[in-house]
Amino acid sequence: MNPYAVLAAAAEQWERIAGALGPAPRERLAALLARARHDDRGRHTGRQRHEAALAAVDLLAERFPELFGGEQQARLTLTAPPPGAAAESVTHLGFSAEDLAVLLIDGHRMVGPLLGPVRERLLAAPALDLDTVLLGGTDPFVPALIRLRGRGGAVRLPSLQFTAAHRPRPIVLAVNEILAADRDPWGAADWWLSADARLDARPETLIGTAGEQQLLDTVRMLAEQE
C-alpha cells in the first residue's frame, strides 16, 4: 500500500471529510502530516516520514472506512507509482499528499490540478525567509506583507516587497493593503507577478520606476470595481 496515494485521495475528498473529522482526529492528523510532509531542514528521516504517512492513513481508514479502508487503499495503490517513488510524485486526480497538509495545516486552498500549479509558480518567484527578514530589522508579520506557505509549510516572503537592504518598500505596502494581502496573500502575490492589461506589464516591473504611481491608481480602481 502506498500511503501517499491515499493521502492524495483524501486531499481530493477534503470538502467531504473535513467537517466530519472531529477536533481530536483533526489535531492528530495534522500532527502526523506535519511529520510526513517534506521538510527542507531535514528534521525527519525518510523512514519517519513514511511511518507518519502510514499512521495518517490508518486514522483516515478508521474514520472513513468506505473511502480509505483496505479495498480502497488497494485500488489507489494500483494507480500510484511503485514503492520508493518520491511522495511528491504520487497524485490522485491532480492532488498530492502535500495538498492535504496544505489544506489542513497551512489553511489555504491553493491545491489540486487548477490552483496547485499557480501555487508552485508563485513560490518559484524570488523570496526571503523569516530569518533573513528579521536580520534586516523588519517585522515579517506586518499585516501588509505577503507571506506564502512554501514547501513543508515554511513561510516565504516575495522579494519584490523589499529593498536590497531587506527593508519593506512603501509603495508595495500601500498596494498590499488595498489588495488585502493579510487575508488573501496568494491573490496579492498573483497580481504582482502576473501580466496586467491595464499596466501593460507585470506590476512588479514598475516598482522603483517612474510608473510606480500607476500601481496605486490601478489597485484603487480594482477596489472600487469590487
Side-chain angles (χ1 to χ4, degrees):
M1 186 267 291
N2 190 322
Y4 301 107
V6 180
L7 297 179
E12 190 269 328
Q13 292 278 347
W14 182 246
E15 294 293 339
R16 180 176 178 181
I17 68 176
L21 263 175
R26 189 185 185 96
E27 183 177 344
R28 174 62 176 158
L29 181 59
L32 290 170
L33 291 176
R35 294 184 61 195
R37 74 192 310 190
H38 181 87
D39 179 7
D40 286 332
R41 296 185 179 182
R43 287 176 292 186
H44 301 116
T45 65
R47 181 174 180 178
Q48 289 172 328
R49 290 175 56 205
H50 188 76
E51 289 176 349
L54 289 171
V57 169
D58 287 343
L59 186 155
L60 288 168
E62 180 180 348
R63 296 292 297 181
F64 308 102
E66 74 285 1
L67 295 175
F68 311 115
E71 291 185 5
Q72 295 301 318
Q73 291 176 16
R75 179 180 63 81
L76 291 167
T77 297
L78 286 175
T79 61
E88 294 80 3
S89 69
V90 180
T91 60
H92 174 75
L93 299 180
F95 289 81
S96 67
E98 173 67 11
D99 284 345
L100 184 60
V102 167
L103 289 163
L104 181 55
I105 302 172
D106 298 347
H108 65 80
R109 297 178 179 276
M110 298 294 291
V111 299
L114 296 179
L115 296 180
V118 178
R119 181 184 81 217
E120 294 304 317
R121 173 174 63 83
L122 297 178
L123 289 174
L128 304 178
D129 57 27
L130 290 178
D131 291 342
T132 301
V133 175
L134 284 169
L135 288 173
T138 296
D139 179 0
F141 297 101
V142 171
L145 284 174
I146 297 170
R147 294 178 298 277
L148 307 177
R149 290 280 179 179
R151 195 176 187 186
V155 176
R156 305 289 288 162
L157 296 93
S159 299
L160 65 89
Q161 303 177 103
F162 303 96
T163 66
H166 301 157
R167 302 294 298 172
R169 297 179 184 273
I171 184 65
V172 175
L173 293 181
V175 169
N176 283 353
E177 187 171 354
I178 298 172
L179 292 174
D182 58 332
R183 299 194 303 274
D184 183 16
W186 296 96
D190 192 39
W191 184 81
W192 279 110
L193 295 167
S194 301
D196 186 282
R198 297 176 181 82
L199 297 169
D200 194 27
R202 289 196 322 276
E204 65 165 334
T205 63
L206 297 182
I207 298 173
T209 72
E212 198 172 70
Q213 180 58 38
Q214 296 180 58
L215 297 170
L216 271 175
D217 295 340
T218 300
V219 293
R220 284 169 178 159
M221 186 185 306
L222 290 173
E224 290 173 358
Q225 292 174 351
E226 292 179 358

